[in-house]
């Protein structure tokens, strides 16, 4: 059986403002074994069939086509017979455009690869509702953890005020760092560095981690209101976190 995914990988690229399934025109040309050289073939097809740049294809002046999906790090490299990169232009086609070009060739290989592209599209349609549902659940978790962040800071301010103490920025940071260490194993600053991130780490972590953070922040508000000090709250939050994980694993099982 032909391994189409290895010969002509379908990847994902930001094109025309959205993430789309795409194909390297060079990979398609190489598979189809079209008589013309690549440059003549692709430019001829673009002109003949009115393909539109940034709608039907993108141009990459590089030997590499990097998949822009965070879930897939596929990379296509083109080499000369002598070895090394062939520094030339590649055209990144939408899967719809790739289907058209395959059909135009009107040969067995063209028909076979077209069917493969259709299967890729059908698979995406099948999983799209699940992807959308997962994204919605993550957004809900992100909003929930945001709901508790401000009240937690307010509770800390009130507690310290009742003790005649001023609350400075690092006091709030200490609370968030404590909870981040329990859930993520490190502070937000360390997490950003470890994962090469910028901005709020809560925009990058998983739905499960967000729910865990929200649970501990909500619990911490109660403990602060009860007048517990930092060390006592930390010990209790660690216990609550362990219980939370056990319950979560029980649901999965």
């Amino acid at each position: 059986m032909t391994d189409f995914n290895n010969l002509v990988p379908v990847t994902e690229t930001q094109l025309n403002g959205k993430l789309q399934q795409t194909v390297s025109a060079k990979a398609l040309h190489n598979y189809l074994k079209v008589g013309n050289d690549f440059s003549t073939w692709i430019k001829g097809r673009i002109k003949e069939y009115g393909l539109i740049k940034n709608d039907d294809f993108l141009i990459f002046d590089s030997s590499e086509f990097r998949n822009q999906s965070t879930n897939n790090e596929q990379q296509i490299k083109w080499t000369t017979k002598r070895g090394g990169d062939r520094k030339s232009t590649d055209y990144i086609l939408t899967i719809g455009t790739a289907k058209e070009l395959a059909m135009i060739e009107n040969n067995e290989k063209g028909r076979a690869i077209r069917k493969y592209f259709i299967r890729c599209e059908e698979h995406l349609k099948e999983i799209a509702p699940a992807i959308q549902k997962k994204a919605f659940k993550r957004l809900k978790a992100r909003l929930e953890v945001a709901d508790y962040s401000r009240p937690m800071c307010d509770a800390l301010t009130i507690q310290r005020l009742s003790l005649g103490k001023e609350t400075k920025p690092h006091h709030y940071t200490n609370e968030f760092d404590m909870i981040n260490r329990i859930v993520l194993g490190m502070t937000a600053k360390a997490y950003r560095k470890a994962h090469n991130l910028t901005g709020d780490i809560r925009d990058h972590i998983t739905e499960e981690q967000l729910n865990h953070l929200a649970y501990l922040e909500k619990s911490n508000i109660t403990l602060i209101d009860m007048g517990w000090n930092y060390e006592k709250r930390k010990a209790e939050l660690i216990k609550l976190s362990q219980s939370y994980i056990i319950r979560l694993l029980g649901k999965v099982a």
Side-chain angles (χ1 to χ4, degrees):
M1 182 180 292
T2 303
D3 184 2
F4 290 118
N5 192 50
N6 186 47
L7 293 171
V8 190
V10 173
T11 57
E12 292 179 323
T13 304
Q14 285 288 344
L15 196 154
N16 200 19
K18 57 184 177 180
L19 196 63
Q20 299 192 48
Q21 288 182 304
T22 52
V23 172
S24 162
K26 277 191 173 180
L28 180 60
H29 176 264
N30 188 56
Y31 166 76
L32 291 172
K33 303 295 183 185
V34 181
N36 295 332
D37 65 90
F38 171 70
S39 181
T40 301
W41 174 76
I42 190 63
K43 289 178 181 178
R45 291 294 186 245
I46 289 171
K47 183 177 180 180
E48 184 177 0
Y49 295 97
L51 302 181
I52 302 172
K53 184 179 179 181
N54 296 328
D55 278 342
D56 301 311
F57 66 91
L58 289 175
I59 299 177
F60 277 68
D61 292 320
S62 171
S63 63
E64 297 182 2
F65 166 36
R66 292 184 182 276
N67 175 21
Q68 297 178 32
S69 167
T70 57
N71 298 322
N72 190 338
E73 297 297 328
Q74 291 191 58
Q75 179 177 320
I76 302 169
K77 293 181 72 70
W78 301 92
T79 59
T80 64
K81 292 181 180 179
R82 293 173 297 176
D85 292 343
R86 181 187 299 163
K87 300 296 183 182
S88 57
T89 301
D90 194 2
Y91 292 70
I92 308 310
L93 312 172
T94 65
I95 197 167
T97 302
K99 276 196 311 181
E100 286 188 47
L101 296 186
M103 182 174 62
I104 289 165
E105 297 308 323
N106 194 28
N107 57 32
E108 186 176 349
K109 281 199 166 189
R111 288 188 289 272
I113 196 69
R114 181 174 177 272
K115 288 181 180 178
Y116 163 66
F117 292 150
I118 290 172
R119 287 200 302 273
C120 290
E121 288 181 313
E122 289 173 346
H123 177 66
L124 181 62
K125 289 178 182 178
E126 289 172 0
I127 66 174
I131 293 173
Q132 186 177 23
K133 183 178 180 181
K134 184 176 181 180
F136 177 76
K137 288 176 67 179
R138 190 196 177 282
L139 175 61
K140 183 180 178 182
R142 179 67 182 90
L143 294 174
E144 184 177 6
V145 75
D147 285 343
Y148 293 123
S149 297
R150 183 71 259 174
M152 186 175 74
C153 292
D154 291 341
L156 184 65
T157 301
I158 293 170
Q159 184 208 45
R160 291 182 62 82
L161 187 62
S162 69
L163 298 173
K165 297 180 179 180
E166 181 184 359
T167 306
K168 296 184 178 181
H170 74 269
H171 292 118
Y172 302 121
T173 301
N174 288 343
E175 296 298 315
F176 289 109
D177 281 348
M178 171 179 64
I179 293 175
N180 285 331
R181 282 193 182 99
I182 295 172
V183 176
L184 305 174
M186 62 187 76
T187 65
K189 182 178 180 180
Y191 192 90
R192 278 193 294 270
K193 184 176 180 180
H195 295 84
N196 195 27
L197 301 173
T198 58
D200 194 332
I201 63 168
R202 297 175 184 211
D203 293 330
H204 301 280
I205 61 178
T206 67
E207 174 197 341
E208 291 75 16
Q209 290 169 327
L210 287 168
N211 286 330
H212 196 171
L213 285 172
Y215 171 71
L216 293 185
E217 286 189 1
K218 181 180 179 181
S219 300
N220 197 33
I221 293 170
T222 301
L223 298 178
I224 292 172
D225 288 341
M226 291 170 62
W228 289 22
N229 64 32
Y230 177 88
E231 292 300 331
K232 188 175 181 181
R233 285 188 285 107
K234 179 181 177 181
E236 183 63 20
L237 288 173
I238 290 173
K239 291 179 183 178
L240 290 172
S241 174
Q242 292 170 344
S243 298
Y244 177 87
I245 293 172
I246 290 171
R247 289 197 303 273
L248 190 64
L249 292 175
K251 289 180 181 179
V252 173

